[in-house]
Amino acid sequence: MTRLGDLERAVMDVLWDTDPGTSDGVTVREVADALDGRELAYTTVMTVLDRLAGKGMVERQREGRAWRYRPAASREAHIAQLMLDALDLGGSRDAALVRFARSVTGTEAEVLRAALSAEAGLTGSGSAERETGLTDRVEDPRSGRPALADEATDR
C-alpha cells in the first residue's frame, strides 16, 4: 500500500471525512476549499488528486467537465494495510506483533481481544463482531491477503 505525503494525506482526510452516504464524491474545487488554510492553487490540488487516482487511492467519475473523487478504501482499511505492510518489512513478525500488543492501551487491548476471539470463532453470540464492526473474511483482491468483507468492497 502506498504511503502518503503530507499533502496527499490532507487531501485524503478531506475525502475520508466526506459523508459517503450523502455524497457521490467531491470535486477538485470542493477539496481545495476544504484545504483553505493551506492556500494551495487549484491546479496543485488537481495534480494531487490525479496522482492519488493513479496510485489507486481514489476513484473518480466524470461529471460534465469535472471529476468527482472518492476514496477507494476506508481510512481504517488503509491504516490496517499500512500495519500489514510494516509487518512485511522483515525480521520477525511475531516479535513485532508482541511489541505492538505490549504498547497498546487497555481499551485497545480489549478491542484486539474481541477481534481475535471473533476471528477464532470463540464467540458464539457474535457480540465481539457487533462491538468491533467485524464481518466475514474474504481475500483482498490487491494483495491476496485476508481482509474484512466490508474492506474488500470499499475498493
Side-chain angles (χ1 to χ4, degrees):
M1 171 139 310
T2 305
R3 286 201 170 152
L4 302 176
D6 291 339
L7 185 53
E8 289 174 323
R9 175 60 190 243
V11 168
M12 286 305 299
D13 282 339
V14 170
L15 297 176
W16 281 321
D17 291 342
T18 301
D19 184 6
T22 61
S23 174
D24 290 330
V26 293
T27 64
V28 174
R29 173 61 56 209
E30 292 168 331
V31 174
D33 289 346
L35 296 169
D36 189 34
R38 295 184 80 123
E39 297 184 26
L40 298 168
Y42 176 91
T43 54
T44 300
V45 176
M46 184 172 55
T47 299
V48 170
L49 283 163
D50 185 59
R51 288 183 179 166
L52 287 168
K55 292 178 180 182
M57 292 292 301
V58 300
E59 298 170 346
R60 62 184 174 186
Q61 182 176 350
R62 191 61 102 164
E63 183 178 277
R65 291 180 27 180
W67 290 99
R68 286 206 162 270
Y69 295 87
R70 68 183 151 279
S74 69
R75 183 184 325 232
E76 294 77 13
H78 174 72
I79 292 168
Q81 188 62 53
L82 287 175
M83 293 169 71
L84 288 170
D85 290 347
L87 286 173
D88 289 339
L89 290 176
S92 169
R93 285 178 71 116
D94 292 348
L97 285 169
V98 168
R99 187 174 215 53
F100 175 76
R102 289 181 178 157
S103 70
V104 298
T105 66
T107 303
E108 293 164 339
E110 287 302 317
V111 169
L112 286 172
R113 277 190 204 96
L116 291 170
S117 293
E119 182 65 21
L122 298 177
T123 57
S125 66
S127 61
E129 291 90 337
R130 282 193 302 276
E131 291 173 15
T132 61
L134 295 178
T135 57
D136 294 331
R137 297 290 240 171
V138 295
E139 187 174 286
D140 182 329
R142 291 185 183 171
S143 67
R145 293 185 185 133
L148 297 176
D150 57 337
E151 291 172 358
T153 58
D154 285 342
R155 297 187 202 290

mmCIF file of all heavy atoms in Angstrom, residues 51-100:
data_model
loop_
_atom_site.group_PDB
_atom_site.id
_atom_site.type_symbol
_atom_site.label_atom_id
_atom_site.label_comp_id
_atom_site.label_asym_id
_atom_site.label_seq_id
_atom_site.Cartn_x
_atom_site.Cartn_y
_atom_site.Cartn_z
ATOM 1 N N ARG A 51 -2.745 12.143 -9.126
ATOM 2 C CA ARG A 51 -1.716 11.183 -8.696
ATOM 3 C C ARG A 51 -2.291 10.131 -7.747
ATOM 4 O O ARG A 51 -1.936 8.953 -7.827
ATOM 5 C CB ARG A 51 -0.546 11.905 -8.038
ATOM 6 C CG ARG A 51 0.281 12.665 -9.057
ATOM 7 C CD ARG A 51 1.474 13.314 -8.435
ATOM 8 N NE ARG A 51 2.231 14.011 -9.474
ATOM 9 C CZ ARG A 51 3.170 14.892 -9.235
ATOM 10 N NH1 ARG A 51 3.498 15.179 -7.991
ATOM 11 N NH2 ARG A 51 3.804 15.479 -10.227
ATOM 12 N N LEU A 52 -3.191 10.556 -6.848
ATOM 13 C CA LEU A 52 -3.841 9.595 -5.953
ATOM 14 C C LEU A 52 -4.692 8.606 -6.747
ATOM 15 O O LEU A 52 -4.758 7.422 -6.402
ATOM 16 C CB LEU A 52 -4.683 10.323 -4.901
ATOM 17 C CG LEU A 52 -3.886 11.041 -3.809
ATOM 18 C CD1 LEU A 52 -4.806 11.957 -2.996
ATOM 19 C CD2 LEU A 52 -3.181 10.035 -2.908
ATOM 20 N N ALA A 53 -5.328 9.071 -7.809
ATOM 21 C CA ALA A 53 -6.094 8.173 -8.680
ATOM 22 C C ALA A 53 -5.153 7.179 -9.353
ATOM 23 O O ALA A 53 -5.456 5.980 -9.447
ATOM 24 C CB ALA A 53 -6.881 8.971 -9.714
ATOM 25 N N GLY A 54 -4.007 7.648 -9.793
ATOM 26 C CA GLY A 54 -3.017 6.772 -10.415
ATOM 27 C C GLY A 54 -2.471 5.721 -9.463
ATOM 28 O O GLY A 54 -2.118 4.616 -9.875
ATOM 29 N N LYS A 55 -2.413 6.055 -8.184
ATOM 30 C CA LYS A 55 -1.935 5.123 -7.161
ATOM 31 C C LYS A 55 -3.040 4.182 -6.684
ATOM 32 O O LYS A 55 -2.793 3.302 -5.858
ATOM 33 C CB LYS A 55 -1.410 5.892 -5.950
ATOM 34 C CG LYS A 55 -0.148 6.679 -6.223
ATOM 35 C CD LYS A 55 0.270 7.455 -4.981
ATOM 36 C CE LYS A 55 1.530 8.262 -5.204
ATOM 37 N NZ LYS A 55 1.937 8.972 -3.981
ATOM 38 N N GLY A 56 -4.268 4.390 -7.159
ATOM 39 C CA GLY A 56 -5.378 3.546 -6.735
ATOM 40 C C GLY A 56 -5.978 3.941 -5.398
ATOM 41 O O GLY A 56 -6.784 3.208 -4.838
ATOM 42 N N MET A 57 -5.594 5.091 -4.887
ATOM 43 C CA MET A 57 -6.112 5.545 -3.587
ATOM 44 C C MET A 57 -7.499 6.176 -3.702
ATOM 45 O O MET A 57 -8.255 6.176 -2.744
ATOM 46 C CB MET A 57 -5.154 6.567 -2.959
ATOM 47 C CG MET A 57 -3.831 5.991 -2.527
ATOM 48 S SD MET A 57 -3.984 4.855 -1.150
ATOM 49 C CE MET A 57 -4.715 5.890 0.093
ATOM 50 N N VAL A 58 -7.804 6.763 -4.856
ATOM 51 C CA VAL A 58 -9.113 7.379 -5.066
ATOM 52 C C VAL A 58 -9.720 6.851 -6.358
ATOM 53 O O VAL A 58 -9.013 6.409 -7.264
ATOM 54 C CB VAL A 58 -9.042 8.928 -5.118
ATOM 55 C CG1 VAL A 58 -8.491 9.499 -3.834
ATOM 56 C CG2 VAL A 58 -8.250 9.414 -6.308
ATOM 57 N N GLU A 59 -11.035 6.898 -6.389
ATOM 58 C CA GLU A 59 -11.784 6.589 -7.602
ATOM 59 C C GLU A 59 -12.361 7.902 -8.093
ATOM 60 O O GLU A 59 -12.680 8.784 -7.295
ATOM 61 C CB GLU A 59 -12.912 5.609 -7.292
ATOM 62 C CG GLU A 59 -12.420 4.286 -6.780
ATOM 63 C CD GLU A 59 -13.538 3.398 -6.251
ATOM 64 O OE1 GLU A 59 -14.670 3.903 -6.042
ATOM 65 O OE2 GLU A 59 -13.278 2.219 -6.037
ATOM 66 N N ARG A 60 -12.488 8.022 -9.390
ATOM 67 C CA ARG A 60 -13.060 9.255 -9.909
ATOM 68 C C ARG A 60 -14.084 8.928 -10.981
ATOM 69 O O ARG A 60 -13.986 7.921 -11.675
ATOM 70 C CB ARG A 60 -11.985 10.194 -10.423
ATOM 71 C CG ARG A 60 -11.168 9.678 -11.572
ATOM 72 C CD ARG A 60 -10.079 10.662 -11.923
ATOM 73 N NE ARG A 60 -9.208 10.083 -12.947
ATOM 74 C CZ ARG A 60 -8.114 10.652 -13.362
ATOM 75 N NH1 ARG A 60 -7.728 11.801 -12.850
ATOM 76 N NH2 ARG A 60 -7.381 10.093 -14.297
ATOM 77 N N GLN A 61 -15.038 9.847 -11.085
ATOM 78 C CA GLN A 61 -16.110 9.690 -12.055
ATOM 79 C C GLN A 61 -16.344 11.041 -12.713
ATOM 80 O O GLN A 61 -16.405 12.073 -12.036
ATOM 81 C CB GLN A 61 -17.379 9.206 -11.354
ATOM 82 C CG GLN A 61 -18.532 8.971 -12.272
ATOM 83 C CD GLN A 61 -19.728 8.404 -11.529
ATOM 84 O OE1 GLN A 61 -19.631 8.027 -10.370
ATOM 85 N NE2 GLN A 61 -20.841 8.342 -12.209
ATOM 86 N N ARG A 62 -16.486 11.024 -14.010
ATOM 87 C CA ARG A 62 -16.696 12.246 -14.777
ATOM 88 C C ARG A 62 -18.081 12.810 -14.495
ATOM 89 O O ARG A 62 -19.064 12.080 -14.441
ATOM 90 C CB ARG A 62 -16.541 11.910 -16.250
ATOM 91 C CG ARG A 62 -16.459 13.044 -17.221
ATOM 92 C CD ARG A 62 -15.323 13.931 -17.005
ATOM 93 N NE ARG A 62 -14.214 13.746 -17.904
ATOM 94 C CZ ARG A 62 -13.282 14.658 -18.021
ATOM 95 N NH1 ARG A 62 -13.332 15.773 -17.328
ATOM 96 N NH2 ARG A 62 -12.277 14.474 -18.815
ATOM 97 N N GLU A 63 -18.130 14.114 -14.262
ATOM 98 C CA GLU A 63 -19.403 14.820 -14.105
ATOM 99 C C GLU A 63 -19.300 16.107 -14.916
ATOM 100 O O GLU A 63 -18.701 17.087 -14.460
ATOM 101 C CB GLU A 63 -19.682 15.135 -12.639
ATOM 102 C CG GLU A 63 -21.032 15.802 -12.437
ATOM 103 C CD GLU A 63 -21.315 16.071 -10.981
ATOM 104 O OE1 GLU A 63 -21.780 15.141 -10.292
ATOM 105 O OE2 GLU A 63 -21.052 17.201 -10.535
ATOM 106 N N GLY A 64 -19.853 16.087 -16.104
ATOM 107 C CA GLY A 64 -19.687 17.225 -17.002
ATOM 108 C C GLY A 64 -18.225 17.343 -17.406
ATOM 109 O O GLY A 64 -17.614 16.385 -17.860
ATOM 110 N N ARG A 65 -17.660 18.521 -17.177
ATOM 111 C CA ARG A 65 -16.244 18.727 -17.491
ATOM 112 C C ARG A 65 -15.339 18.438 -16.298
ATOM 113 O O ARG A 65 -14.123 18.460 -16.419
ATOM 114 C CB ARG A 65 -16.025 20.170 -17.950
ATOM 115 C CG ARG A 65 -16.654 20.447 -19.292
ATOM 116 C CD ARG A 65 -16.442 21.856 -19.753
ATOM 117 N NE ARG A 65 -15.228 22.456 -19.209
ATOM 118 C CZ ARG A 65 -14.818 23.672 -19.453
ATOM 119 N NH1 ARG A 65 -15.522 24.446 -20.230
ATOM 120 N NH2 ARG A 65 -13.720 24.149 -18.915
ATOM 121 N N ALA A 66 -15.936 18.198 -15.161
ATOM 122 C CA ALA A 66 -15.157 17.981 -13.926
ATOM 123 C C ALA A 66 -15.157 16.499 -13.543
ATOM 124 O O ALA A 66 -15.877 15.686 -14.109
ATOM 125 C CB ALA A 66 -15.763 18.814 -12.791
ATOM 126 N N TRP A 67 -14.329 16.174 -12.584
ATOM 127 C CA TRP A 67 -14.279 14.836 -11.998
ATOM 128 C C TRP A 67 -14.806 14.923 -10.576
ATOM 129 O O TRP A 67 -14.612 15.928 -9.886
ATOM 130 C CB TRP A 67 -12.843 14.314 -11.925
ATOM 131 C CG TRP A 67 -12.210 13.980 -13.237
ATOM 132 C CD1 TRP A 67 -11.350 14.759 -13.945
ATOM 133 C CD2 TRP A 67 -12.354 12.769 -13.973
ATOM 134 N NE1 TRP A 67 -10.957 14.114 -15.094
ATOM 135 C CE2 TRP A 67 -11.557 12.884 -15.129
ATOM 136 C CE3 TRP A 67 -13.081 11.597 -13.775
ATOM 137 C CZ2 TRP A 67 -11.460 11.882 -16.084
ATOM 138 C CZ3 TRP A 67 -12.983 10.596 -14.723
ATOM 139 C CH2 TRP A 67 -12.186 10.731 -15.859
ATOM 140 N N ARG A 68 -15.432 13.847 -10.115
ATOM 141 C CA ARG A 68 -15.799 13.695 -8.708
ATOM 142 C C ARG A 68 -14.919 12.579 -8.151
ATOM 143 O O ARG A 68 -14.779 11.527 -8.761
ATOM 144 C CB ARG A 68 -17.268 13.329 -8.543
ATOM 145 C CG ARG A 68 -18.182 14.488 -8.814
ATOM 146 C CD ARG A 68 -19.500 14.315 -8.042
ATOM 147 N NE ARG A 68 -20.182 15.583 -7.965
ATOM 148 C CZ ARG A 68 -20.011 16.469 -6.985
ATOM 149 N NH1 ARG A 68 -19.178 16.223 -6.014
ATOM 150 N NH2 ARG A 68 -20.670 17.595 -6.979
ATOM 151 N N TYR A 69 -14.322 12.846 -6.996
ATOM 152 C CA TYR A 69 -13.376 11.922 -6.373
ATOM 153 C C TYR A 69 -13.942 11.371 -5.073
ATOM 154 O O TYR A 69 -14.604 12.089 -4.324
ATOM 155 C CB TYR A 69 -12.059 12.639 -6.074
ATOM 156 C CG TYR A 69 -11.322 13.095 -7.298
ATOM 157 C CD1 TYR A 69 -11.597 14.336 -7.883
ATOM 158 C CD2 TYR A 69 -10.345 12.295 -7.877
ATOM 159 C CE1 TYR A 69 -10.911 14.754 -9.015
ATOM 160 C CE2 TYR A 69 -9.656 12.711 -9.006
ATOM 161 C CZ TYR A 69 -9.951 13.939 -9.568
ATOM 162 O OH TYR A 69 -9.277 14.348 -10.685
ATOM 163 N N ARG A 70 -13.645 10.105 -4.802
ATOM 164 C CA ARG A 70 -13.991 9.482 -3.522
ATOM 165 C C ARG A 70 -12.905 8.460 -3.182
ATOM 166 O O ARG A 70 -12.244 7.946 -4.083
ATOM 167 C CB ARG A 70 -15.381 8.873 -3.559
ATOM 168 C CG ARG A 70 -15.546 7.688 -4.442
ATOM 169 C CD ARG A 70 -17.007 7.212 -4.457
ATOM 170 N NE ARG A 70 -17.328 6.580 -5.702
ATOM 171 C CZ ARG A 70 -17.648 7.200 -6.829
ATOM 172 N NH1 ARG A 70 -17.707 8.494 -6.877
ATOM 173 N NH2 ARG A 70 -17.904 6.535 -7.919
ATOM 174 N N PRO A 71 -12.725 8.184 -1.902
ATOM 175 C CA PRO A 71 -11.674 7.226 -1.515
ATOM 176 C C PRO A 71 -11.969 5.836 -2.080
ATOM 177 O O PRO A 71 -13.123 5.413 -2.137
ATOM 178 C CB PRO A 71 -11.748 7.194 0.011
ATOM 179 C CG PRO A 71 -12.695 8.257 0.416
ATOM 180 C CD PRO A 71 -13.471 8.695 -0.766
ATOM 181 N N ALA A 72 -10.929 5.136 -2.475
ATOM 182 C CA ALA A 72 -11.074 3.766 -2.968
ATOM 183 C C ALA A 72 -11.275 2.794 -1.810
ATOM 184 O O ALA A 72 -11.841 1.713 -1.994
ATOM 185 C CB ALA A 72 -9.856 3.367 -3.792
ATOM 186 N N ALA A 73 -10.814 3.156 -0.622
ATOM 187 C CA ALA A 73 -10.955 2.318 0.568
ATOM 188 C C ALA A 73 -11.149 3.233 1.776
ATOM 189 O O ALA A 73 -10.792 4.412 1.733
ATOM 190 C CB ALA A 73 -9.716 1.440 0.766
ATOM 191 N N SER A 74 -11.687 2.684 2.828
ATOM 192 C CA SER A 74 -11.899 3.467 4.042
ATOM 193 C C SER A 74 -10.562 3.808 4.696
ATOM 194 O O SER A 74 -9.537 3.165 4.427
ATOM 195 C CB SER A 74 -12.760 2.692 5.039
ATOM 196 O OG SER A 74 -12.031 1.585 5.547
ATOM 197 N N ARG A 75 -10.576 4.804 5.542
ATOM 198 C CA ARG A 75 -9.380 5.187 6.307
ATOM 199 C C ARG A 75 -8.887 3.995 7.120
ATOM 200 O O ARG A 75 -7.693 3.718 7.178
ATOM 201 C CB ARG A 75 -9.733 6.354 7.237
ATOM 202 C CG ARG A 75 -8.580 6.888 8.028
ATOM 203 C CD ARG A 75 -9.017 7.975 8.999
ATOM 204 N NE ARG A 75 -10.082 8.789 8.461
ATOM 205 C CZ ARG A 75 -10.087 10.120 8.403
ATOM 206 N NH1 ARG A 75 -9.084 10.800 8.861
ATOM 207 N NH2 ARG A 75 -11.101 10.768 7.889
ATOM 208 N N GLU A 76 -9.817 3.269 7.741
ATOM 209 C CA GLU A 76 -9.452 2.128 8.578
ATOM 210 C C GLU A 76 -8.798 1.027 7.757
ATOM 211 O O GLU A 76 -7.824 0.409 8.197
ATOM 212 C CB GLU A 76 -10.684 1.597 9.316
ATOM 213 C CG GLU A 76 -11.245 2.560 10.331
ATOM 214 C CD GLU A 76 -12.073 3.713 9.736
ATOM 215 O OE1 GLU A 76 -12.444 3.650 8.527
ATOM 216 O OE2 GLU A 76 -12.334 4.676 10.461
ATOM 217 N N ALA A 77 -9.327 0.771 6.548
ATOM 218 C CA ALA A 77 -8.728 -0.241 5.676
ATOM 219 C C ALA A 77 -7.316 0.180 5.259
ATOM 220 O O ALA A 77 -6.408 -0.650 5.197
ATOM 221 C CB ALA A 77 -9.607 -0.472 4.444
ATOM 222 N N HIS A 78 -7.133 1.466 4.983
ATOM 223 C CA HIS A 78 -5.810 1.981 4.609
ATOM 224 C C HIS A 78 -4.817 1.803 5.761
ATOM 225 O O HIS A 78 -3.700 1.327 5.552
ATOM 226 C CB HIS A 78 -5.916 3.463 4.217
ATOM 227 C CG HIS A 78 -4.606 4.108 3.957
ATOM 228 N ND1 HIS A 78 -3.843 3.835 2.843
ATOM 229 C CD2 HIS A 78 -3.891 5.006 4.677
ATOM 230 C CE1 HIS A 78 -2.732 4.539 2.890
ATOM 231 N NE2 HIS A 78 -2.735 5.262 3.986
ATOM 232 N N ILE A 79 -5.231 2.166 6.953
ATOM 233 C CA ILE A 79 -4.343 2.048 8.116
ATOM 234 C C ILE A 79 -4.008 0.592 8.394
ATOM 235 O O ILE A 79 -2.853 0.239 8.660
ATOM 236 C CB ILE A 79 -4.964 2.734 9.344
ATOM 237 C CG1 ILE A 79 -5.016 4.252 9.115
ATOM 238 C CG2 ILE A 79 -4.188 2.405 10.619
ATOM 239 C CD1 ILE A 79 -5.862 5.003 10.121
ATOM 240 N N ALA A 80 -5.009 -0.284 8.308
ATOM 241 C CA ALA A 80 -4.759 -1.713 8.526
ATOM 242 C C ALA A 80 -3.762 -2.243 7.504
ATOM 243 O O ALA A 80 -2.862 -3.026 7.851
ATOM 244 C CB ALA A 80 -6.072 -2.489 8.455
ATOM 245 N N GLN A 81 -3.888 -1.810 6.248
ATOM 246 C CA GLN A 81 -2.951 -2.270 5.225
ATOM 247 C C GLN A 81 -1.547 -1.747 5.496
ATOM 248 O O GLN A 81 -0.569 -2.458 5.300
ATOM 249 C CB GLN A 81 -3.422 -1.841 3.837
ATOM 250 C CG GLN A 81 -2.606 -2.453 2.723
ATOM 251 C CD GLN A 81 -2.685 -3.966 2.706
ATOM 252 O OE1 GLN A 81 -3.767 -4.536 2.701
ATOM 253 N NE2 GLN A 81 -1.541 -4.630 2.723
ATOM 254 N N LEU A 82 -1.431 -0.503 5.971
ATOM 255 C CA LEU A 82 -0.113 0.027 6.334
ATOM 256 C C LEU A 82 0.516 -0.812 7.444
ATOM 257 O O LEU A 82 1.726 -1.082 7.428
ATOM 258 C CB LEU A 82 -0.221 1.482 6.782
ATOM 259 C CG LEU A 82 -0.487 2.524 5.703
ATOM 260 C CD1 LEU A 82 -0.698 3.898 6.329
ATOM 261 C CD2 LEU A 82 0.645 2.565 4.693
ATOM 262 N N MET A 83 -0.295 -1.221 8.410
ATOM 263 C CA MET A 83 0.221 -2.046 9.501
ATOM 264 C C MET A 83 0.692 -3.395 8.980
ATOM 265 O O MET A 83 1.757 -3.888 9.375
ATOM 266 C CB MET A 83 -0.858 -2.206 10.581
ATOM 267 C CG MET A 83 -1.179 -0.898 11.290
ATOM 268 S SD MET A 83 -2.649 -0.976 12.327
ATOM 269 C CE MET A 83 -2.076 -1.998 13.664
ATOM 270 N N LEU A 84 -0.071 -4.003 8.075
ATOM 271 C CA LEU A 84 0.347 -5.278 7.489
ATOM 272 C C LEU A 84 1.620 -5.117 6.673
ATOM 273 O O LEU A 84 2.516 -5.961 6.725
ATOM 274 C CB LEU A 84 -0.777 -5.847 6.619
ATOM 275 C CG LEU A 84 -1.983 -6.383 7.376
ATOM 276 C CD1 LEU A 84 -3.120 -6.690 6.411
ATOM 277 C CD2 LEU A 84 -1.608 -7.610 8.184
ATOM 278 N N ASP A 85 1.700 -4.027 5.921
ATOM 279 C CA ASP A 85 2.910 -3.764 5.142
ATOM 280 C C ASP A 85 4.123 -3.592 6.049
ATOM 281 O O ASP A 85 5.220 -4.041 5.724
ATOM 282 C CB ASP A 85 2.736 -2.527 4.261
ATOM 283 C CG ASP A 85 1.753 -2.746 3.117
ATOM 284 O OD1 ASP A 85 1.380 -3.909 2.845
ATOM 285 O OD2 ASP A 85 1.341 -1.733 2.509
ATOM 286 N N ALA A 86 3.940 -2.938 7.191
ATOM 287 C CA ALA A 86 5.043 -2.754 8.135
ATOM 288 C C ALA A 86 5.519 -4.103 8.664
ATOM 289 O O ALA A 86 6.726 -4.314 8.850
ATOM 290 C CB ALA A 86 4.611 -1.845 9.288
ATOM 291 N N LEU A 87 4.599 -5.030 8.874
ATOM 292 C CA LEU A 87 4.988 -6.357 9.341
ATOM 293 C C LEU A 87 5.798 -7.108 8.287
ATOM 294 O O LEU A 87 6.597 -7.988 8.621
ATOM 295 C CB LEU A 87 3.758 -7.187 9.723
ATOM 296 C CG LEU A 87 3.074 -6.798 11.019
ATOM 297 C CD1 LEU A 87 1.780 -7.582 11.186
ATOM 298 C CD2 LEU A 87 3.993 -7.029 12.209
ATOM 299 N N ASP A 88 5.601 -6.760 7.024
ATOM 300 C CA ASP A 88 6.313 -7.426 5.943
ATOM 301 C C ASP A 88 7.705 -6.854 5.694
ATOM 302 O O ASP A 88 8.418 -7.324 4.815
ATOM 303 C CB ASP A 88 5.507 -7.322 4.636
ATOM 304 C CG ASP A 88 4.263 -8.189 4.655
ATOM 305 O OD1 ASP A 88 4.210 -9.142 5.457
ATOM 306 O OD2 ASP A 88 3.340 -7.904 3.865
ATOM 307 N N LEU A 89 8.103 -5.836 6.456
ATOM 308 C CA LEU A 89 9.397 -5.194 6.223
ATOM 309 C C LEU A 89 10.577 -6.102 6.539
ATOM 310 O O LEU A 89 11.697 -5.816 6.156
ATOM 311 C CB LEU A 89 9.509 -3.894 7.032
ATOM 312 C CG LEU A 89 8.619 -2.756 6.563
ATOM 313 C CD1 LEU A 89 8.747 -1.559 7.498
ATOM 314 C CD2 LEU A 89 8.963 -2.353 5.136
ATOM 315 N N GLY A 90 10.356 -7.159 7.231
ATOM 316 C CA GLY A 90 11.438 -8.078 7.542
ATOM 317 C C GLY A 90 11.519 -8.320 9.023
ATOM 318 O O GLY A 90 10.754 -7.767 9.813
ATOM 319 N N GLY A 91 12.439 -9.156 9.395
ATOM 320 C CA GLY A 91 12.547 -9.501 10.803
ATOM 321 C C GLY A 91 11.436 -10.449 11.202
ATOM 322 O O GLY A 91 10.790 -11.064 10.371
ATOM 323 N N SER A 92 11.226 -10.523 12.466
ATOM 324 C CA SER A 92 10.232 -11.450 12.996
ATOM 325 C C SER A 92 8.876 -10.770 13.133
ATOM 326 O O SER A 92 8.718 -9.824 13.905
ATOM 327 C CB SER A 92 10.691 -11.957 14.362
ATOM 328 O OG SER A 92 9.643 -12.655 14.994
ATOM 329 N N ARG A 93 7.898 -11.256 12.389
ATOM 330 C CA ARG A 93 6.532 -10.737 12.509
ATOM 331 C C ARG A 93 6.026 -10.964 13.927
ATOM 332 O O ARG A 93 5.354 -10.105 14.491
ATOM 333 C CB ARG A 93 5.601 -11.419 11.516
ATOM 334 C CG ARG A 93 5.766 -10.950 10.092
ATOM 335 C CD ARG A 93 4.837 -11.708 9.161
ATOM 336 N NE ARG A 93 3.459 -11.321 9.364
ATOM 337 C CZ ARG A 93 2.702 -10.720 8.468
ATOM 338 N NH1 ARG A 93 3.191 -10.441 7.290
ATOM 339 N NH2 ARG A 93 1.449 -10.408 8.730
ATOM 340 N N ASP A 94 6.346 -12.134 14.493
ATOM 341 C CA ASP A 94 5.888 -12.463 15.844
ATOM 342 C C ASP A 94 6.421 -11.456 16.859
ATOM 343 O O ASP A 94 5.673 -10.962 17.705
ATOM 344 C CB ASP A 94 6.315 -13.876 16.239
ATOM 345 C CG ASP A 94 5.601 -14.953 15.440
ATOM 346 O OD1 ASP A 94 4.614 -14.623 14.744
ATOM 347 O OD2 ASP A 94 6.028 -16.114 15.516
ATOM 348 N N ALA A 95 7.702 -11.149 16.767
ATOM 349 C CA ALA A 95 8.299 -10.198 17.705
ATOM 350 C C ALA A 95 7.673 -8.816 17.551
ATOM 351 O O ALA A 95 7.400 -8.132 18.543
ATOM 352 C CB ALA A 95 9.812 -10.123 17.500
ATOM 353 N N ALA A 96 7.433 -8.415 16.316
ATOM 354 C CA ALA A 96 6.811 -7.112 16.080
ATOM 355 C C ALA A 96 5.392 -7.083 16.636
ATOM 356 O O ALA A 96 4.971 -6.091 17.245
ATOM 357 C CB ALA A 96 6.814 -6.783 14.590
ATOM 358 N N LEU A 97 4.647 -8.161 16.441
ATOM 359 C CA LEU A 97 3.278 -8.220 16.965
ATOM 360 C C LEU A 97 3.258 -8.187 18.491
ATOM 361 O O LEU A 97 2.420 -7.505 19.089
ATOM 362 C CB LEU A 97 2.562 -9.474 16.453
ATOM 363 C CG LEU A 97 2.115 -9.424 15.007
ATOM 364 C CD1 LEU A 97 1.672 -10.799 14.531
ATOM 365 C CD2 LEU A 97 1.008 -8.407 14.834
ATOM 366 N N VAL A 98 4.181 -8.901 19.119
ATOM 367 C CA VAL A 98 4.256 -8.897 20.582
ATOM 368 C C VAL A 98 4.588 -7.501 21.083
ATOM 369 O O VAL A 98 3.969 -6.990 22.023
ATOM 370 C CB VAL A 98 5.284 -9.933 21.091
ATOM 371 C CG1 VAL A 98 5.579 -9.748 22.565
ATOM 372 C CG2 VAL A 98 4.771 -11.347 20.822
ATOM 373 N N ARG A 99 5.543 -6.855 20.458
ATOM 374 C CA ARG A 99 5.922 -5.498 20.865
ATOM 375 C C ARG A 99 4.746 -4.543 20.691
ATOM 376 O O ARG A 99 4.481 -3.700 21.534
ATOM 377 C CB ARG A 99 7.106 -5.015 20.060
ATOM 378 C CG ARG A 99 7.660 -3.698 20.544
ATOM 379 C CD ARG A 99 8.912 -3.394 19.774
ATOM 380 N NE ARG A 99 9.999 -2.761 20.328
ATOM 381 C CZ ARG A 99 10.728 -2.999 21.414
ATOM 382 N NH1 ARG A 99 10.499 -3.894 22.168
ATOM 383 N NH2 ARG A 99 11.728 -2.330 21.778
ATOM 384 N N PHE A 100 4.016 -4.677 19.579
ATOM 385 C CA PHE A 100 2.841 -3.850 19.354
ATOM 386 C C PHE A 100 1.780 -4.110 20.421
ATOM 387 O O PHE A 100 1.233 -3.174 21.004
ATOM 388 C CB PHE A 100 2.262 -4.117 17.958
ATOM 389 C CG PHE A 100 0.990 -3.381 17.699
ATOM 390 C CD1 PHE A 100 1.008 -2.023 17.417
ATOM 391 C CD2 PHE A 100 -0.231 -4.036 17.754
ATOM 392 C CE1 PHE A 100 -0.172 -1.334 17.179
ATOM 393 C CE2 PHE A 100 -1.414 -3.351 17.528
ATOM 394 C CZ PHE A 100 -1.379 -1.994 17.239
#
